[in-house]
Amino acid sequence: MAVHTIAYRIFPPTACPSALLHLSPARNVCEVDTDQVGLSALNEIIQTAPGSNPLPLLFDEFLSSGTAQLIWKGSGPGRGVEVRRAFSGLFGRFLARAYLERYHGFTWFSPISGAPCNVSRRLRVIRQPGREFDMPDWIMAGPGVLAIGEAKGSHAKGPAPSLGLPGPLRTANQQITSVWVQKMDRAGNWVNRRVKGWGVMSRWGVENPLRQAYHCVLGPDTEGEPLEGDDLEESIQDVARSHVALLLQGLGRPDLVDKSASPDASPQQVSATIDGLGERTFIGGIVNNFGFLPMSVDDARAVQASLPERLRPTVRFLDLETEVVEQYRSGSTIKAQPLRIDANGPSLSSDGMMLAPLERIKSAPSTI
């Protein structure tokens, strides 16, 4: 397990999730598993820019060895201000998503793109009139929860702030509180609904000059009427369905979202045994550092065998659980899955995405 520690602060302290209180009641330290971050990053990439690679390996290449803390090698990824800023923003988004999944119970993330952003015919996110801030990153959901999310990355110098909000979180607060989450009522009117917002800033820790890594987390609310009961559950499922649709498109299966579309990739179905969950079936394809590879599992194994030993782990299978696909296609309730992160075997995220070594999967008859 590629587990590291990172300091954190939450504003206000009462917003601290129970999982963190139990893990670290006094030290204000949480855990970052780079295998989980990599799986979260894969989901983020294939939802927003289809094509992916085994990112857990990328993170481990960049990180300093011999320390439990999350410390990047040298002065951190990238050379030059613009490249550092790009890495900071991208990695900050990945780390924030993994943190929100692990400690706040969010499973489904629908990227906010444009204003208004229509999640479904009955749920949308809009910018408040007269507010000019950028839109937040996601509307996100988990069992019983719906929220707005904004990620910030920082490579700023100096110690962690002891008082007051860091600048990136002040911006995140303005972004979150400048939008309305709206749900259409039975009469066809858009109604502002109050949901939680989470701004997560990840500051790099680096070897040279030695600098501590930390998370800063802010939990404001949006404006509107309370969202609860059936309205809340409908909104959660709308976000879940948007999330799964984007995953299927990123996996090259737009035909499973829109019957008039054609698949971009040949469907491959496999089975794998997940620790504590037994055997599950999945649909997806072969990936390596260059993205999806148009080949069968058997062909991928042959290619993998021809590679130097250190490169063989880069060829893996990325896929979505068939049960989740069937829930999406049938219009039934999409359910969260237990999170299972295994550095040496199949890793399963709570949305049903799996990243697995080829030796831990086997081909299965197609059912989709």
Side-chain angles (χ1 to χ4, degrees):
M1 298 288 283
V3 178
H4 303 266
T5 59
I6 186 170
Y8 71 90
R9 293 186 66 210
I10 293 182
F11 305 88
T14 53
C16 187
S18 58
L20 279 179
L21 289 172
H22 174 73
L23 175 69
S24 177
R27 293 193 302 131
N28 290 336
V29 172
C30 64
E31 294 178 345
V32 176
D33 187 330
T34 52
D35 287 320
Q36 186 208 346
V37 176
L39 193 54
S40 298
L42 283 170
N43 288 356
E44 180 71 15
I45 285 177
I46 67 174
Q47 285 181 308
T48 57
S52 53
N53 56 42
L55 282 162
L57 303 177
L58 173 65
F59 294 135
D60 287 344
E61 284 293 320
F62 275 137
L63 287 169
S64 173
S65 59
T67 175
Q69 295 185 15
L70 189 80
I71 301 294
W72 301 109
K73 290 179 181 177
S75 55
R79 296 290 182 270
V81 174
E82 292 300 327
V83 177
R84 286 186 186 281
R85 186 177 293 125
F87 269 112
S88 180
L90 193 60
F91 283 10
R93 191 170 176 122
F94 298 158
L95 288 164
R97 182 161 171 163
Y99 166 85
L100 289 163
E101 289 178 3
R102 179 168 181 175
Y103 292 112
H104 293 261
F106 291 103
T107 297
W108 303 291
F109 294 74
S110 184
I112 295 175
S113 179
C117 175
N118 295 298
V119 180
S120 70
R121 289 178 295 179
R122 61 189 177 189
L123 183 67
R124 70 181 186 179
V125 182
I126 70 168
R127 183 184 286 113
Q128 295 180 17
R131 308 301 290 270
E132 300 300 328
F133 293 100
D134 290 340
M135 297 287 279
D137 290 323
W138 308 287
I139 181 168
M140 51 196 189
V145 291
L146 186 81
I148 292 291
E150 171 63 19
K152 297 293 185 186
S154 174
H155 55 87
K157 300 177 182 179
S162 57
L163 296 173
L165 287 176
L169 271 195
R170 290 197 296 271
T171 302
N173 181 62
Q174 292 170 326
Q175 289 176 256
I176 292 168
T177 57
S178 293
V179 299
W180 286 326
V181 176
Q182 295 185 325
K183 189 175 189 304
M184 187 174 287
D185 65 15
R186 307 305 175 192
N189 301 310
W190 288 106
V191 179
N192 298 336
R193 308 307 292 262
R194 184 171 71 250
V195 303
K196 195 71 178 174
W198 291 107
V200 182
M201 188 191 92
S202 303
R203 203 283 293 267
W204 286 1
V206 297
E207 288 180 323
N208 184 28
L210 186 60
R211 186 188 309 155
Q212 183 189 33
Y214 61 82
H215 284 322
C216 279
V217 184
L218 177 70
D221 292 337
T222 66
E223 296 179 357
E225 301 177 7
L227 184 62
E228 52 196 9
D230 290 343
D231 283 340
L232 174 61
E233 289 305 313
E234 285 180 353
S235 299
I236 289 170
Q237 283 300 303
D238 285 350
V239 174
R241 293 188 62 78
S242 173
H243 175 107
V244 173
L246 290 169
L247 288 180
L248 290 171
Q249 291 169 352
L251 287 169
R253 297 303 308 275
D255 57 305
L256 297 178
V257 178
D258 180 355
K259 293 181 180 179
S260 65
S262 299
D264 299 326
S266 299
Q268 295 192 70
Q269 194 159 318
V270 302
S271 65
T273 300
I274 307 296
D275 185 32
L277 301 177
E279 190 171 41
R280 302 286 188 95
T281 59
F282 302 84
I283 184 169
I286 304 297
V287 293
N288 79 341
N289 289 345
F290 300 100
F292 277 97
L293 302 177
M295 60 178 62
S296 68
V297 174
D298 289 341
D299 288 341
R301 288 190 172 120
V303 169
Q304 185 184 56
S306 70
L307 294 174
E309 187 171 353
R310 67 181 182 84
L311 295 179
R312 290 176 187 172
T314 65
V315 183
R316 300 188 185 187
F317 199 84
L318 178 67
D319 43 39
L320 181 62
E321 188 165 6
T322 55
E323 182 181 1
V324 173
V325 179
E326 292 292 3
Q327 290 167 355
Y328 172 82
R329 297 179 73 199
S330 67
S332 57
T333 299
I334 297 177
K335 300 177 182 178
Q337 310 295 309
L339 176 68
R340 294 287 188 273
I341 303 299
D342 184 348
N344 299 310
S347 289
L348 181 71
S349 59
S350 57
D351 60 356
M353 284 292 292
M354 180 186 73
L355 183 64
L358 296 187
E359 64 269 19
R360 299 294 294 274
I361 63 170
K362 58 184 178 181
S363 298
S366 177
T367 58
I368 296 177

